[in-house]
């Protein structure tokens, strides 16, 4: 995974931002769309978020544990 601490910080911040935006998109769909659309959308977004966590964030935080946000502990 990313060795450079500065780059790791930037990647961590980006992944957290992307996650927050994906969460916001799910809330938007829940509030403004039909229950069927919400369920379908949620199923599409879940694997994206899981992939980010498992393939990018977890390895990054394994290499740089001090960057791991308390919310993910």
């Amino acid at each position: 995974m990313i060795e450079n601490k500065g780059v790791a910080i930037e990647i961590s911040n980006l992944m957290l931002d992307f996650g927050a935006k994906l969460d916001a998109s799910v809330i938007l769909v829940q509030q403004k769309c039909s229950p069927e659309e919400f369920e379908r959308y949620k199923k599409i977004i879940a694997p994206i978020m899981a992939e980010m966590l498992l393939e990018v964030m977890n390895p990054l935080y394994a290499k740089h544990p001090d960057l791991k946000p308390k919310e993910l502990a």
Side-chain angles (χ1 to χ4, degrees):
M1 188 36 76
I2 307 296
E3 297 285 333
N4 182 294
K5 182 75 169 249
V7 174
I9 291 168
E10 289 186 56
I11 295 297
S12 176
N13 290 338
L14 285 167
M15 290 298 111
L16 294 169
D17 185 46
F18 296 155
K21 288 181 179 182
L22 288 171
D23 280 341
S25 76
V26 171
I27 292 167
L28 176 67
V29 172
Q30 183 180 30
Q31 292 173 344
K32 306 232 177 206
C33 298
S34 71
E36 295 80 18
E37 288 174 308
F38 169 62
E39 288 303 318
R40 193 168 52 240
Y41 188 75
K42 193 169 60 169
K43 286 180 183 175
I44 293 167
I45 296 303
I48 296 168
M49 294 185 76
E51 190 78 10
M52 284 174 38
L53 179 65
L54 297 174
E55 300 299 330
V56 180
M57 297 168 83
N58 283 349
L60 186 72
Y61 299 142
K63 183 73 179 168
H64 303 279
D66 57 309
L67 298 182
K68 187 173 184 176
K70 293 174 187 153
E71 307 87 55
L72 296 179

